[in-house]
Amino acid sequence: MDMNSFSPMMPTSPLSMINQIKFEDEPDLKDLFITVDEPESHVTTIETFITYRIITKTSRGEFDSSEFEVRRRYQDFLWLKGKLEEAHPTLIIPPLPEKFIVKGMVER
């Protein structure tokens, strides 16, 4: 996958926290769509945290399934951003929304 050829698509709504990325190696043949949405608060006896639903849809043959869904914590996005910046120092990795802003949206 050539990380230099991605085009971010605008969120459907400023409050939806939905971001979709379309990676284009060969237009319309091998697409990869990633959606991050549905923040969900989790409360345990030890901690309170928020997870986000990540849906990946693809027509790429190298994946076992055309659709994946997982939930990840904010710290997982921080880790991924750091790894991407480390692996691709010349690319601009978009900033993440601030943690306290996202937390406030879940509590509303």
Side-chain angles (χ1 to χ4, degrees):
M1 170 177 7
D2 179 8
M3 293 299 287
N4 290 322
S5 63
F6 73 90
S7 57
M9 297 167 59
M10 293 302 293
T12 57
S13 157
L15 297 177
S16 69
M17 295 298 294
I18 295 175
N19 292 304
Q20 293 187 351
I21 306 289
K22 179 180 179 181
F23 294 90
E24 301 172 343
D25 288 339
E26 298 171 24
D28 300 325
L29 295 178
K30 294 185 174 183
D31 293 331
L32 180 62
F33 294 94
I34 302 168
T35 305
V36 179
D37 64 1
E38 292 190 14
E40 184 178 289
S41 184
H42 300 268
V43 179
T44 68
T45 55
I46 299 171
E47 63 182 338
T48 300
F49 59 93
I50 298 170
T51 61
Y52 305 87
R53 181 177 71 165
I54 304 165
I55 299 174
T56 303
K57 295 180 182 180
T58 186
S59 59
R60 295 173 180 250
E62 57 261 36
F63 292 98
D64 294 335
S65 177
S66 63
E67 187 171 329
F68 298 94
E69 182 175 322
V70 295
R71 295 201 69 85
R72 293 288 183 254
R73 295 174 68 158
Y74 187 86
Q75 66 189 23
D76 296 324
F77 291 98
L78 290 174
W79 175 87
L80 177 60
K81 185 177 186 318
K83 291 295 182 182
L84 288 172
E85 289 171 340
E86 183 180 303
H88 305 283
T90 60
L91 293 179
I92 297 173
I93 309 299
L96 296 172
E98 293 184 37
K99 188 173 183 176
F100 70 91
I101 292 173
V102 176
K103 183 178 184 291
M105 291 183 73
V106 172
E107 292 175 350
R108 276 194 244 170

